[in-house]
Amino acid sequence: MIIQYFRWLVGAAGGNLGNSWFNAESVSYLLLSRVPVTLSIAIGTVVMSTLVSVAVGITAALYRGWTDRALQLISIAGLVFPGFWLALVLVAKFSIEWQLVPATGYVPLAQSFTGWFQSLTLPVFSLAIGAVAGLSQQVRSATISTLEKDFVRTLRSRGLSEGSVLFRHVLRNAAPPTLTVVSLNFIALMSGAVMIERVFALPGLGSIAVDATGVGDIPIVLGAVVIAVIIVVTVNLLIDLFNGWLNPKVRLA
């Protein structure tokens, strides 16, 4: 279904992407077969980093003090370790030494959910560590700013529980800046996944684009750019729609 959707978008955006200069295969076929791999990595990383960042940011904003400082220190520490270095460490420990998950390769979701999940565990974790640092700080700042608003004190004075105030009002008002950072993280992941795909031998868009660049296969490079742009625009549109549904204040009249 995803491949059919992107095939339609590619046709609407640029028509026929042509054939490879080296093997004469269709560029659309070569690239669209790799879209699910890259999307699985990017979406999995965004979901994991967002869940962890929201938990860390809210906890830091509510408790402050030593809890706030400790959580900030832990989250920022993720920026110290490069993604590719962390990926190599994870492969050495979880795949080679402990043999918990496969070190390389990709299993399609339609073939096996367990195999698909295991093949993405280490790549997603490698990328999510760095994404959590910036996003958790944004969630913390937005939550603290919203908690200091007058309407929050009014809600509390009316007898609403802290859980209702936090989840029904504070988080919805703190969502816009957080979703903006999420969209920026997704765009960064489209380029950051290239090295991770190399480390774990994943057949994604980044791998084929790098190979095509090395041999000068221009049609594949241009096709990869077109598909990457379509993915970024689609994700930004979905995030804007979700933002409008979550927070009525940002909806257009």
Side-chain angles (χ1 to χ4, degrees), residues 151-226:
F151 79 88
V152 175
R153 289 191 290 269
T154 302
L155 292 173
R156 286 171 173 167
S157 67
R158 293 175 58 187
L160 271 69
S161 64
E162 283 297 320
S164 177
V165 172
L166 178 63
F167 292 104
R168 295 187 58 185
H169 301 280
V170 173
L171 290 184
R172 296 187 70 170
N173 283 271
T178 301
L179 289 176
T180 300
V181 176
V182 170
S183 64
L184 294 176
N185 282 346
F186 187 91
I187 296 173
L189 288 172
M190 294 300 297
S191 58
V194 173
M195 186 63 68
I196 298 301
E197 290 176 2
R198 283 295 191 180
V199 172
F200 294 99
L202 298 174
L205 284 175
S207 297
I208 192 173
V210 171
D211 292 338
T213 302
V215 298
D217 199 340
I218 303 301
I220 291 183
V221 175
L222 294 178
V225 172
V226 171

Side-chain angles (χ1 to χ4, degrees), residues 8-144:
W8 176 80
L9 285 179
V10 168
N16 186 5
L17 296 177
N19 298 325
S20 170
W21 285 355
F22 287 85
N23 54 27
E25 291 190 55
S26 171
V27 173
S28 297
Y29 173 79
L30 291 173
L31 295 178
L32 292 179
S33 62
R34 296 171 178 256
V35 167
V37 181
T38 301
L39 281 182
S40 297
I41 298 173
I43 294 176
T45 302
V46 167
V47 171
M48 179 179 177
S49 62
T50 301
L51 293 177
V52 174
S53 298
V54 169
V56 171
I58 291 176
T59 303
L62 291 178
Y63 294 99
R64 311 286 181 91
W66 68 268
T67 303
D68 183 11
R69 291 191 291 271
L71 290 176
Q72 288 190 70
L73 180 62
I74 294 173
S75 62
I76 294 177
L79 294 175
V80 177
F81 306 105
F84 69 90
W85 178 84
L86 182 60
L88 295 174
V89 173
L90 293 177
V91 168
K93 286 294 183 181
F94 288 90
S95 298
I96 299 176
E97 183 175 344
W98 297 336
Q99 297 183 355
L100 297 177
V101 291
T104 59
Y106 174 78
V107 178
L109 178 60
Q111 179 178 335
S112 171
F113 175 80
T114 302
W116 173 80
F117 183 82
Q118 290 179 343
S119 64
L120 293 177
T121 299
L122 296 185
V124 167
F125 190 80
S126 302
L127 291 172
I129 291 297
V132 166
L135 185 56
S136 62
Q137 294 302 305
Q138 179 61 58
V139 173
R140 172 188 174 275
S141 300
T143 303
I144 291 177

